[in-house]
Amino acid sequence: MAKIIASVNCSHVPAIGAAWDNGKAQQPYWAPIFNGFDFSKKWIADLKPDVVILVYNDHASAFSLEIIPTFALGCAPEFKPADEGWGPRPVPVVKGHPELACHIAQSVILDEFDLTIVNKMDVDHGLTVPLTLMFGQPQEWPCKVIPLAVNVVQFPPPTGNRCFNLGKAIKKAVEAYPEDLRVVVFGTGGMSHQLQGTRAGLINREWDMRFLDSLVKNPGELAKMPFIEYVREAGSEGIELVMWLISRGALNEKVREVYRFYHVPCSNTALGHLILENER
Ligand code: DHB
Ligand code: FE
């Protein structure tokens, strides 16, 4: 049977992708950020997951204000990197896992989570930057990737509780899939960030740390936090963090914290990264 073995959570700041693509990874500003993923690269190379379910948000690349799905599951065989204004990133095309994705869609929709099924979608920095951070620059990404795009751009976003419960429904679906696949769920976005307005550049390290601690130990309580607290405490784009509750819900109640990394500044945000494993 398929099994979710771990989660990887990390920010998906687009400037990280640009720094990597333009050969700036070892410059003083960027080196500490990429070095913060040295452990993670080795960890995932050893783990060799078959499939990553990658929870992220589209930033008006695949979806405009014309269509705003709350949860959109990528069921296609492949997903091209989106052109976000400077041409598509020079990274491999993302190969999906249509059979598992369709199985998840069927299972969670029948469990009353109304996902949008997407059979054609370009994927933006929200998805490709975490892959770069974790896998560097291979010819092909080393595993299949199922994109799960969440609307955190246009009010109203899904609640933390909805996200946490969707994670649980995804866990149930994966565990009912007959093939022996080892699956890792990525939750991306965050941490503190506000990109515009008078509070641009807001960083709330204490709140971010409390969020990480609660995500590990007490996700059920964390899931009750209203969206306004994310926005007030972690900035308007801090709401991206609700997506980490999907990856957390997909794990067991008890997890092992394998790795944590936090760095300020990254663009004008706080970069956070947390790896959790199910107790073996
Ligand atoms: C930026 C954009 C993002 O989507 C994000 O999650 C973090 C930072 C930026 O433009 O700097
Ligand atoms: Fe983002």
Side-chain angles (χ1 to χ4, degrees):
M1 302 299 266
K3 205 161 126 190
I4 296 177
I5 50 180
S7 75
V8 171
N9 304 284
C10 67
S11 308
H12 58 220
V13 177
I16 295 173
W20 181 270
D21 298 343
N22 293 299
K24 296 183 181 167
Q26 286 319 311
Q27 289 188 356
Y29 183 90
W30 293 106
I33 291 169
F34 287 101
N35 294 346
F37 285 78
D38 285 348
F39 169 89
S40 317
K41 282 201 180 88
K42 186 167 179 325
W43 172 85
I44 205 157
D46 291 343
L47 197 69
K48 295 187 184 60
D50 300 298
V51 183
V52 164
I53 298 172
L54 203 152
V55 184
Y56 74 111
N57 63 294
D58 178 74
H59 304 73
S61 304
F63 306 114
S64 67
L65 291 182
E66 289 177 6
I67 299 180
I68 308 172
T70 301
F71 299 112
L73 189 70
C75 296
E78 60 177 47
F79 306 90
K80 296 201 172 67
D83 183 346
E84 298 181 60
W86 291 270
R89 286 193 62 209
V91 294
V93 167
V94 172
K95 304 287 183 192
H97 196 305
E99 298 79 11
L100 177 59
C102 290
H103 167 85
I104 292 170
Q106 174 165 317
S107 177
V108 304
I109 290 170
L110 293 178
D111 274 345
E112 304 179 350
F113 289 89
D114 312 315
L115 298 191
T116 301
I117 293 167
V118 186
N119 292 319
K120 187 170 193 301
M121 177 166 72
D122 290 350
V123 286
D124 74 7
H125 67 268
L127 184 136
T128 62
V129 165
L131 291 179
T132 298
L133 286 169
M134 293 301 292
F135 296 119
Q137 191 155 10
Q139 283 293 315
E140 299 288 336
W141 298 121
C143 57
K144 305 285 175 66
V145 178
I146 298 176
L148 173 57
V150 179
N151 167 44
V152 290
V153 169
Q154 179 69 21
F155 186 84
T159 62
N161 195 46
R162 183 80 173 149
C163 290
F164 189 49
N165 287 330
L166 175 60
K168 290 184 188 174
I170 290 171
K171 175 179 194 287
K172 178 180 160 197
V174 169
E175 288 174 354
Y177 191 71
E179 201 183 328
D180 282 337
L181 297 174
R182 296 162 69 253
V183 179
V184 173
V185 183
F186 281 26
T188 79
M191 293 199 75
S192 292
H193 69 302
Q194 169 134 357
L195 300 175
Q196 30 63 46
T198 51
R199 295 205 311 163
L202 177 143
I203 302 291
N204 188 343
R205 179 186 291 263
E206 289 70 32
W207 189 92
D208 285 345
M209 286 302 146
R210 276 204 302 281
F211 182 90
L212 293 175
D213 291 339
S214 305
L215 192 72
V216 178
K217 296 203 185 93
N218 208 358
E221 275 302 306
L222 184 63
K224 294 181 194 159
M225 190 164 69
F227 91 92
I228 195 67
E229 183 171 337
Y230 290 84
V231 172
R232 188 177 60 230
E233 299 296 332
S236 52
E237 282 75 38
I239 188 61
E240 287 186 343
L241 284 168
V242 287
M243 297 187 287
W244 295 31
L245 281 161
I246 298 181
S247 52
R248 183 62 183 91
L251 293 180
N252 297 342
E253 210 171 306
K254 271 211 153 59
V255 291
R256 193 163 71 83
E257 180 172 335
V258 175
Y259 185 64
R260 184 188 291 209
F261 175 62
Y262 186 82
H263 179 88
V264 179
C266 182
S267 174
N268 61 355
T269 81
L271 177 140
H273 175 38
L274 183 70
I275 298 181
L276 303 176
E277 277 181 16
N278 275 337
E279 297 278 2
R280 280 182 256 187

